[in-house]
């Protein structure tokens, strides 16, 4: 499985490697919400959390589904600007101005992507105009809990109000902790940008992509980029461009923005972290047996990013409830999945800390 980007006819000058302060803020929020995904950032997470204002911490939970699972395309707004050649802003304020330029339909669609399973890689109406999608969005949000239900209701009723709330929240995060973090990280990102740009100019796109990750390849014709991921997707640059955006906080996530009508983006980590100590031989044997089935591998990809009910997994994987329950039982017996109850729903989630002990290759594969 992979995500492919058709770059037929793409001119070299329309390939840009550029840092994005808003994308890095998105990764910062993700790391704060899911520290187990990023064991190498434990010190930074602890330091930020210790001095975080309680009111800001509460606000961070109101819409954490925008960055907890991975992070929303809202953190890459330049890709959604008409023409599909806009670059990220140099400052956070410039990027927030780009976010303001997205239409309400774009904003709502990107905001509800992870929780409401809205159309992503194909054209179609959104929940602001499609009453069926609106009902579905609210039903799926209800399965996620009261906070997501409330946020979704407010978003669908009054998008401008939520847009203003999000902009103010991101500005407050910048003042509280991100401005200091960005002043430190931007030099590393700028150095990586110069290196990748030099590779593009002197050795070509294939070499530049190889330096991004071994999981990113260019086919023999030079017309298609493939990114090895536990999921399928496709997009095309068309008459637009291609963005490569580095992150210092993102390992092991290698993400591809392939939203229909948006400029394709490769969001890739600079550097990596060391995995924790390996499990015992007995644990390893049990866990590797549990992970030997391709369906369970794909389930792990979902469960690593967010908690799912059995019913949601049935819908995602196109299987029956007994089949999904049987696979969940194997993963639970191996100690790889935890469960918790929220009202009448039972939520299952991958224990990423345990998975990390299986090795960085597997962790990177399911979180890529």
């Amino acid at each position: 499985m992979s995500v492919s980007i058709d770059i037929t006819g793409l001119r070299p000058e329309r390939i840009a490697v550029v840092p994005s302060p808003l994308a890095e803020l998105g990764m910062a929020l993700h790391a704060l919400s899911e520290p187990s995904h990023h064991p190498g950032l434990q010190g930074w997470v602890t330091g930020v959390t210790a001095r975080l204002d309680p009111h800001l911490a509460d606000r961070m939970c109101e819409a954490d589904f925008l960055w907890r699972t991975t992070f929303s395309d809202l953190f890459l707004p330049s890709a959604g600007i008409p023409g599909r050649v806009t670059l990220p802003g140099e400052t956070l304020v410039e990027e927030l101005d780009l976010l303001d330029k997205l239409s309400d339909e774009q904003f709502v669609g990107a905001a509800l992507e992870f929780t409401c399973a809205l159309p992503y890689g194909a054209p179609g109406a959104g929940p602001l105009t499609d009453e069926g999608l609106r009902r579905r969005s609210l039903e799926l949000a209800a399965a996620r809990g009261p906070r997501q239900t409330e946020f979704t209701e407010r978003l669908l009723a009054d998008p401008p109000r939520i847009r203003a709330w999000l902009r103010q929240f991101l500005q407050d995060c910048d003042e509280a902790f991100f401005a200091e973090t960005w002043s430190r990280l931007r030099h590393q990102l700028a150095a990586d940008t110069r290196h990748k740009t030099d590779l593009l100019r002197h050795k070509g796109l294939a070499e530049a992509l190889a330096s991004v990750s071994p999981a990113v390849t260019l086919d023999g014709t030079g017309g298609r980029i493939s990114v090895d991921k536990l999921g399928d997707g496709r997009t095309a640059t068309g008459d637009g461009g291609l963005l490569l955006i580095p992150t210092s906080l993102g390992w092991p996530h290698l993400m591809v923005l392939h939203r229909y009508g948006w400029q394709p983006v490769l969001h890739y980590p600079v550097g990596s972290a060391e995995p924790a100590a390996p499990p015992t031989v007995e644990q390893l044997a049990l866990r590797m047996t549990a992970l030997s089935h391709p369906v369970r591998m794909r389930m792990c990809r979902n469960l690593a990013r967010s908690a799912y009910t059995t019913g949601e997994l049935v819908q995602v994987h196109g299987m029956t409830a007994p089949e999904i329950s049987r696979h969940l039982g194997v993963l639970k017996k191996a100690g790889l999945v935890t469960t918790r109850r929220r009202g009448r729903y039972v939520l299952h989630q991958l224990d990423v800390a345990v998975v990390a002990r299986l090795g960085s290759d597997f962790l990177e594969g399911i979180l890529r």
Side-chain angles (χ1 to χ4, degrees):
M1 292 182 286
S2 66
V3 176
S4 66
I5 306 173
D6 186 339
I7 60 170
T8 303
L10 178 64
R11 301 200 302 270
E13 63 270 19
R14 288 202 167 176
I15 305 172
V17 189
V18 57
S20 164
L22 182 55
E24 199 69 349
L25 175 52
M27 287 310 314
L29 290 168
H30 169 66
L32 291 170
S33 298
E34 287 285 6
S36 62
H37 284 200
H38 306 274
L41 298 177
Q42 182 177 357
W44 176 82
V45 169
T46 300
V48 171
T49 303
R51 65 178 188 270
L52 200 61
D53 176 76
H55 179 59
L56 182 60
D58 287 342
R59 290 161 64 199
M60 195 177 292
C61 294
E62 288 185 42
D64 64 355
F65 51 84
L66 295 179
W67 49 79
R68 181 180 288 274
T69 50
T70 52
F71 74 101
S72 170
D73 290 346
L74 292 177
F75 290 100
L76 295 166
S78 61
I81 302 299
R84 303 200 299 170
V85 294
T86 302
L87 300 181
E90 293 185 7
T91 67
L92 183 63
V93 170
E94 290 176 359
E95 294 234 80
L96 293 176
D97 289 342
L98 291 175
L99 182 60
D100 287 342
K101 291 182 180 180
L102 297 182
S103 68
D104 283 348
E105 288 77 11
Q106 287 178 302
F107 184 91
V108 170
L112 297 182
E113 172 197 343
F114 293 116
T115 57
C116 298
L118 296 179
Y120 186 90
L128 290 181
T129 54
D130 187 314
E131 186 59 34
L133 275 180
R134 175 185 289 264
R135 287 195 302 269
R136 175 176 170 76
S137 298
L138 292 170
E139 289 170 0
L140 292 175
R144 295 290 181 166
R147 274 184 170 164
Q148 290 187 225
T149 302
E150 180 185 359
F151 186 91
T152 302
E153 289 174 343
R154 290 164 54 204
L155 176 63
L156 292 173
D158 191 356
R161 180 184 175 190
I162 296 299
R163 298 180 71 152
W165 177 89
L166 180 61
R167 177 167 183 140
Q168 186 61 57
F169 168 74
L170 295 174
Q171 289 174 325
D172 291 345
C173 287
D174 185 49
E175 182 179 346
F177 65 88
F178 183 69
E180 177 185 348
T181 300
W182 179 250
S183 68
R184 174 173 53 86
L185 297 180
R186 62 188 179 90
H187 302 293
Q188 180 190 22
L189 296 177
D192 183 81
T193 296
R194 290 191 297 269
H195 173 62
K196 298 292 193 301
T197 301
D198 186 64
L199 285 175
L200 277 170
R201 289 174 178 170
H202 300 290
K203 295 190 176 182
L205 180 58
E207 288 284 340
L209 294 176
S211 72
V212 165
S213 168
V216 184
T217 56
L218 183 66
D219 71 2
T221 67
R224 185 176 299 274
I225 297 170
S226 295
V227 185
D228 181 34
K229 295 176 70 70
L230 283 172
D232 292 311
R234 63 184 61 189
T235 187
T237 52
D239 58 358
L242 173 68
L243 287 174
L244 278 65
I245 297 180
T247 168
S248 289
L249 300 175
W251 187 91
H253 304 302
L254 170 63
M255 288 173 280
V256 188
L257 190 160
H258 57 285
R259 180 178 294 276
Y260 180 83
W262 289 40
Q263 182 178 192
V265 179
L266 280 173
H267 189 223
Y268 65 92
V270 176
S272 62
E274 291 298 322
T280 65
V281 172
E282 292 79 11
Q283 290 173 321
L284 181 61
L286 184 62
R287 290 167 184 172
M288 295 307 292
T289 299
L291 295 169
S292 63
H293 197 288
V295 170
R296 292 195 284 271
M297 282 277 288
R298 291 195 296 273
M299 288 174 62
C300 284
R301 179 179 184 272
N302 298 113
L303 297 172
R305 287 166 164 76
S306 181
Y308 279 74
T309 66
T310 300
E312 288 173 325
L313 290 171
V314 166
Q315 185 176 50
V316 169
H317 294 278
M319 302 174 68
T320 66
E323 288 174 324
I324 290 295
S325 296
R326 185 165 60 253
H327 287 301
L328 281 172
V330 174
L331 293 171
K332 290 176 191 175
K333 185 177 179 181
L336 297 171
V337 168
T338 61
T339 62
R340 69 181 189 274
R341 181 172 291 278
R342 176 177 289 166
R344 62 191 180 94
Y345 298 101
V346 176
L347 300 176
H348 313 282
Q349 189 161 23
L350 194 72
D351 190 332
V352 178
V354 171
V355 172
R357 293 197 289 271
L358 294 178
S360 59
D361 287 347
F362 180 75
L363 180 62
E364 183 176 355
I366 62 170
L367 291 177
R368 184 180 297 149

